[in-house]
Amino acid sequence: MQAAALPRILTFMFAFAAGLAVSTIYFAQPLLETIANEFGIPHSSIGIVITVTQACYALGLFLLVPLGDMLERRSLVIALLLLSVLGLLTAAAANHLMVLLAGVAVIGLFAVVVQVMVAFAAALAAPAERGRVLGTVTSGIVMGILLARTFAGVLTDLAGWRSVYLVSAGLMLTVAFVMYRMLPMHRENAAMLLPYPKLLQSMFRLFMEERVLRIRAALAFLLFTAFSILWTALVLPLSAPPYSLSHSAIGAFGLAGVAGALAAARAGRWADRGYGQRTTGIALAVLLASWLPIGLTGHSIFFLIIGVVALDFAVQAVHVTSQSMLMNISLESRSRLTAAYMIFYSLGSAAGSISATAIFAHWGWMGVCMLGAAVSALALLFWACTKQSGSDG
């Protein structure tokens, strides 16, 4: 099925639903201090909540997202949204650390509906508008990631951290109903006859055969390691003296990152015009530079805001460019390409989360910033060594 143009209302619905779904795996970041205190978790180990979520997200990317190339996509999207609700309700009801970890594990596993929707939107879009559509949907995703902190912070101050998961469960049910009514039936005929084990094996074949996938997956790992280093550790210095900010105030920093998220649609258009490499190089340089003002957080919150906007702009630009490149490789393999790429995104997020809290416990905020800058420099160096005219955008 290939529409001449994807209706804008459906594009924005994809963006909203994807943003809501992905936000569920980031709710815990501004709540780490509160969760650590309630469950008696040492600050040096509290990153485990984020790491479990991201590790299960990576598992879901491998086991569930490829089903988008085999099963009817609307039904798959609705099923994953409903299963996500179960995880949210489990986390909300948790009275023991292991129950909480079980809840966030289920949340992470089924939040991969986001990537099924990305491939779904790409399949419905005409080739000439694919970058724009992916840019809009990915803008929704990144805004969901960032606004999750604001949403969680405000609700926690008003009604406690458990209300965050209860309210999002209600919203997810509503979205599942609306998506059921709006989305068309859709199936990729080329992959529907593949047995499930063969479908999973084909991801390894794609990874070995497609140089663009290998390069962009490695960049995703480094990119989202740096992203997670910032956003996981940020709550720790802001909740401590001299700032001692509330959950709402800490969550509000997600609003600063939205400015960077709005670059997604433009980055998608640049990729459509063949400027993927140029966009990537500039954005990675901005990513590295962003750690300088972030490192000056102790002197002024204003520096932190500048750094957050720059970092989120850079992450978003590279991410949209990478996805646009991958969606043009193979029509019948979009879900598997997305899954293979996003596994590295999730592994990077998990690595950044666990390393950021451990580094902060021993070397403080400056240690966190040095780690983020080192990872960002490695990403820029990797891109410079692997870029090749014409082969990677």
Side-chain angles (χ1 to χ4, degrees), residues 11 21 32 45 101 240 252 284 353:
T11 302
L32 290 179
S45 304
L101 292 179
L284 289 175
S353 295

Side-chain angles (χ1 to χ4, degrees), residues 165-203:
Y165 293 97
L166 285 173
V167 171
S168 59
L171 290 173
M172 194 73 77
L173 278 174
T174 303
V175 164
F177 174 76
V178 174
M179 294 293 276
Y180 176 77
R181 297 298 300 269
M182 289 187 66
L183 292 180
M185 303 280 283
H186 186 273
R187 185 195 297 268
E188 293 287 6
N189 295 326
M192 63 182 292
L193 299 179
L194 275 179
Y196 181 61
K198 294 284 188 183
L199 191 72
L200 298 183
Q201 291 174 17
S202 67
M203 281 202 297

Side-chain angles (χ1 to χ4, degrees), residues 57-146:
Y57 188 75
L59 184 64
L61 288 168
F62 179 71
L63 295 177
L64 300 177
V65 175
L67 291 173
D69 288 336
M70 183 173 70
L71 303 179
E72 195 280 306
R73 281 181 171 145
R74 184 181 70 170
S75 300
L76 180 61
V77 165
I78 303 308
L80 294 177
L81 287 173
L82 294 177
L83 289 168
S84 294
V85 173
L86 295 179
L88 291 165
L89 293 175
T90 300
N95 56 4
H96 188 276
L97 175 60
M98 295 309 296
V99 178
L100 176 66
L101 292 179
V104 298
V106 174
I107 290 170
L109 185 66
F110 296 110
V112 297
V113 65
V114 173
Q115 303 311 321
V116 177
M117 286 191 276
V118 168
F120 197 169
L124 294 176
E129 67 167 5
R130 190 164 295 130
R132 178 188 62 79
V133 168
L134 286 172
T136 301
V137 175
T138 308
S139 287
I141 292 171
V142 176
M143 289 178 70
I145 293 171
L146 298 172

